[in-house]
Amino acid sequence: MIKLKKLTSALVVCVALSVTATSVMAAVQPNMAKVEERKARKTQIVGERVGKTLVKAFDLYNEEKLDEALAVLLDAKSSNEFDTATLNRFLGNLYATKDEKQAIKYLTMAVKPDLLTFADQASSMKLLADMLLQDKQYQKAVKAYEDWIMFTGEQNSEVYMRIANAYYLMNQHDKVLAPADDAIRFATKQIEGPYQLKMAALYELKRYKDLIAVVETMVQLFPENKQFWVYLGNFYTLTEEYGKSLSTLQLAYSQGYLEKDSEIRMLAQMYANNSIPYKAASIMEKHIKSGLVKKDKANLTFVASNYLGAREFLKAAEYYGEVAKLTNEADAYRRQGSAYLSIQRYNDAIVAFDKALSMNVDKQSNVYMSLVDAYFYQKKYKEAYAALMNAKKDPAMARQVRSWESYIKDKAKQKGVSL
C-alpha cells in the first residue's frame, strides 16, 4: 500500500486560482449588504508627515535597503488612527519578507481598527492569514481567512483551499472536506489540489468508499496524472474490490503509466490475487529482465511460485534455480527439484534434491521421499530403496515408507535387482 504520508509535502502547497462568484451555498456566508457599505465608505488620506515617511521607506525598499526602510517606519509616530494603521500595514508588508511573527504583529494592529481603504484592508487581512498559516498558527489562520471572506464578500477558491489545508495540517480531517468542496466549486477551472486534500482526509478517516468515489472522479478529470491511476488501483484493495483494482492497473499499464518497481509489483500482485498466476509471473519476469524490477529473492520467488501455480513447471524450476543461485538456500533447491519432478525431469530433480540435502534442508525426510519418486520412475530401484531407508529414520514417515517398501522390493525382485 502506498504510504499517504508521502503526499503531505505536496498537499501543503496551496494552489493559486482565479476568483469566481457563484450563488452556491458555501461554508462562509458574508453579508453582502455590509460588504457594499464598506466599499462605499469615504476614503481617507494619510497626513503629509506620514506620507513623506512612507515615500522615503518605499524608496529605500526599492533600493533593497529593507532594514533601513523598516527603521524609518518604526521611528514614525502619529496620533491619527488612520495614519497609524497605514504605518502598521506598511510595516507588516515589509516584515512579511523576513519575519513572520513581526509581520503578524503589525498586520494585526493594522486591520484591527478597520480604518484602511477597502482594498488595503482586504489585502492586509489576506496577508495576515497567509502569515499565520506560514507560521503554523493554523486555527488562527482559518479564522483570518474566514474574516477575509466575510469582509470582501469574495468566494475565493484559493482561500478555501488554504482553509482546507490548515485543517489537514491540524489533523482535523473531518473539517477538510467542506472547504475542499468549496475550493472545487469556486475554481474557474478544474484543479487537482482540493481533490488531493479530500483524498488524504478520507483516507485518514478510513471512509474508503467515499475515498474511492473521489479518486474515480480524479481519474476522470485528470487522466494524464499517472499517480491517480495508481492510487485508485491501490484503494480498491481497501474494499477488497480486487477485480476493479486489476482493471484499473491494467488500463494504467496499457497507457504506460506504471513506471516504478513498486507499481509493476502491485500490478503483478493483483493478477495473483485474481487467480491469474501466469500473467502475474510473466509481467514480473518481463520487468525483471528489463531492469525496472529488482532481481532479488522476493521477486524471483514470486515469479517462480506463480509459474508453479500456472503449472508452468519448467519455468518455475528455472526461477527457483535463480533463487537458489542468488541466496544459496536449501529450500530453493528443494522447490526446484519438486518442479522438475512434476514434469518428469527426474535427473534434474535428483541433482536439485541432492543439493538441498547437502545443505541440511529442513524436513529432510520429505526430500528423501521425493527422491524415492525420482529414482523409482527411472526404475533405479536400488537408489529408490536407499532414499526410502533415509526417509524411514523419521517416525512421521512410517506410513508412507511402509506403503513404498514392499512395492519397491517386489519391483526389484521382478527385475532381478539386489537391494
Side-chain angles (χ1 to χ4, degrees):
M1 187 66 205
I2 294 178
K3 304 292 186 183
L4 276 179
K5 290 181 180 178
K6 293 179 181 179
L7 289 172
T8 305
S9 61
L11 292 173
V12 298
V13 179
C14 297
V15 183
L17 305 168
S18 300
V19 178
T20 185
T22 179
S23 60
V24 179
M25 290 294 288
V28 182
Q29 287 295 304
N31 184 323
M32 296 308 296
K34 289 187 176 180
V35 171
E36 293 305 318
E37 286 179 13
R38 284 193 286 270
K39 287 182 178 179
R41 69 188 177 188
K42 186 178 179 181
T43 300
Q44 297 187 60
I45 300 175
V46 295
E48 183 179 356
R49 184 163 58 86
V50 170
K52 289 180 179 180
T53 299
L54 294 176
V55 169
K56 182 178 180 181
F58 189 72
D59 287 342
L60 288 167
Y61 174 76
N62 283 337
E63 295 172 11
E64 299 184 358
K65 297 178 180 179
L66 178 59
D67 291 338
E68 290 88 338
L70 286 168
V72 167
L73 293 173
L74 288 167
D75 282 343
K77 297 290 185 292
S78 175
S79 59
N80 182 284
E81 285 187 303
F82 175 76
D83 288 2
T84 299
T86 302
L87 286 167
N88 287 332
R89 172 177 171 264
F90 271 78
L91 280 164
N93 286 345
L94 294 186
Y95 272 122
T97 65
K98 63 173 293 184
D99 190 328
E100 294 155 11
K101 294 191 183 300
Q102 287 296 321
I104 290 167
K105 171 185 172 181
Y106 285 102
L107 288 168
T108 300
M109 290 192 294
V111 302
K112 185 176 181 180
D114 190 12
L115 294 173
L116 299 171
T117 66
F118 182 86
D120 288 347
Q121 182 78 3
S123 63
S124 297
M125 293 174 74
K126 177 77 177 304
L127 181 57
L128 173 59
D130 291 343
M131 289 294 102
L132 288 165
L133 184 64
Q134 192 171 311
D135 198 45
K136 300 182 181 180
Q137 298 186 49
Y138 301 127
Q139 195 63 59
K140 289 182 177 180
V142 168
K143 176 64 167 56
Y145 284 125
E146 290 176 344
D147 287 346
W148 179 87
I149 295 171
M150 292 295 292
F151 180 84
T152 64
E154 292 186 35
Q155 297 290 10
N156 184 288
S157 177
E158 177 190 357
V159 168
Y160 279 116
M161 176 67 181
R162 295 186 181 201
I163 291 171
N165 193 47
Y167 280 127
Y168 183 81
L169 292 169
M170 288 188 287
N171 295 318
Q172 296 182 26
H173 301 117
D174 56 325
K175 294 183 179 180
V176 170
L177 305 176
D181 282 336
D182 287 333
I184 291 168
R185 71 167 57 103
F186 294 120
T188 56
K189 63 179 181 179
Q190 295 290 353
I191 54 170
E192 297 178 0
Y195 288 100
Q196 289 179 297
L197 276 172
K198 287 187 70 176
M199 177 182 70
L202 288 166
Y203 179 81
E204 296 294 342
L205 293 167
K206 295 181 169 58
R207 288 170 53 181
Y208 298 136
K209 288 190 179 296
D210 293 332
L211 166 65
I212 287 169
V214 169
V215 184
E216 285 174 339
T217 300
M218 292 164 68
V219 167
Q220 292 172 21
L221 293 175
F222 315 107
E224 72 288 347
N225 190 314
K226 302 174 184 180
Q227 196 63 51
F228 293 168
W229 293 86
V230 178
Y231 292 153
L232 183 57
N234 260 302
F235 294 149
Y236 277 131
T237 66
L238 299 175
T239 52
E240 299 182 359
E241 296 176 271
Y242 299 117
K244 286 186 177 181
S245 177
L246 177 57
S247 297
T248 301
L249 293 172
Q250 281 177 317
L251 187 55
Y253 181 71
S254 69
Q255 296 176 90
Y257 289 173
L258 305 187
E259 300 174 328
K260 299 177 182 176
D261 172 297
S262 60
E263 294 165 357
I264 296 298
R265 286 188 287 109
M266 180 170 57
L267 173 61
Q269 187 62 59
M270 281 304 102
Y271 277 121
N273 289 352
N274 283 274
S275 302
I276 312 174
Y278 184 82
K279 286 291 290 184
S282 61
I283 202 161
M284 186 77 95
E285 177 185 35
K286 174 183 176 180
H287 291 285
I288 288 174
K289 287 182 176 178
S290 76
L292 177 59
V293 172
K294 188 176 180 181
K295 186 178 181 180
D296 60 14
K297 176 185 175 181
N299 293 334
L300 291 171
T301 301
F302 179 91
V303 174
S305 61
N306 277 279
Y307 271 134
L308 192 67
R311 303 186 65 79
E312 293 284 340
F313 298 114
L314 186 58
K315 295 285 285 184
E318 174 191 342
Y319 275 93
Y320 280 127
E322 289 289 323
V323 176
K325 284 189 286 186
L326 184 69
T327 64
N328 203 34
E329 291 181 357
D331 193 59
Y333 286 107
R334 179 190 67 77
R335 290 173 183 269
Q336 184 187 41
S338 296
Y340 278 132
L341 193 62
S342 297
I343 51 174
Q344 301 176 19
R345 293 273 292 263
Y346 298 124
N347 287 332
D348 291 327
I350 290 166
V351 170
F353 288 138
D354 283 344
K355 184 68 174 177
L357 288 167
S358 73
M359 300 173 71
N360 296 317
V361 67
D362 292 338
K363 298 183 180 179
Q364 290 192 2
S365 57
N366 288 332
V367 179
Y368 279 119
M369 288 305 300
S370 295
L371 277 170
V372 170
D373 279 343
Y375 282 123
F376 182 83
Y377 290 113
Q378 292 185 92
K379 300 180 181 180
K380 295 179 178 180
Y381 303 121
K382 187 171 185 177
E383 290 86 347
Y385 189 75
L388 188 68
M389 291 302 97
N390 279 312
K392 191 175 183 178
K393 295 174 185 178
D394 181 357
M397 288 292 171
R399 184 175 178 180
Q400 291 184 59
V401 168
R402 280 197 304 271
S403 66
W404 268 104
E405 190 168 4
S406 59
Y407 189 55
I408 293 173
K409 285 180 177 179
D410 289 345
K411 284 290 184 181
K413 185 176 180 181
Q414 291 172 19
K415 300 295 183 181
V417 175
S418 173
L419 298 179

